[in-house]
Amino acid sequence: MKDKPGPKPGSPGALRIAEAHRGPRPHDSKGGFAADPERARSAGRKGGETLKARHGSAHFSEIGRKGGNQVKETLGSAHYSEIGRIGGRNKAKISQIPAADA
């Protein structure tokens, strides 16, 4: 069995690392994406711009096509009929819509 990287449990090095990771960190006070939706939007926008610069606009079409094919293989083409029937309606109302007969 291969040894795990890092100091041995209970060693002075391991205790020093554990102490360094104890307690709150300055960045914790900012909160996560749930605490600041604008921060999440900004991160998503920056990430999308980076991907576009790195791979080009065609990359988004390609991954969308691959995702659509995966959905078709997993859920079948009837899934598209179902989401087309629902359309852009409010998700809260979707549960009230009777299922189409297959």
Side-chain angles (χ1 to χ4, degrees), residues 2 6 8 11 15 22-24 27-29 32 42 46 48 50 54 60 71-72 75-77 86 95-97 99 102:
K2 194 172 185 177
K8 301 285 183 210
S11 70
L15 295 175
R22 216 171 260 128
H27 65 269
D28 293 341
S29 64
S42 175
K46 288 178 184 178
T50 301
R54 191 176 297 162
F60 293 102
V71 168
K72 187 167 40 174
L75 301 176
S77 58
I86 292 170
S95 62
Q96 300 170 1
I97 299 171

Side-chain angles (χ1 to χ4, degrees), residues 41-57 60:
R41 280 189 289 276
S42 175
R45 185 172 42 254
K46 288 178 184 178
E49 289 169 359
T50 301
L51 274 175
K52 186 177 177 183
R54 191 176 297 162
H55 299 289
S57 298
F60 293 102

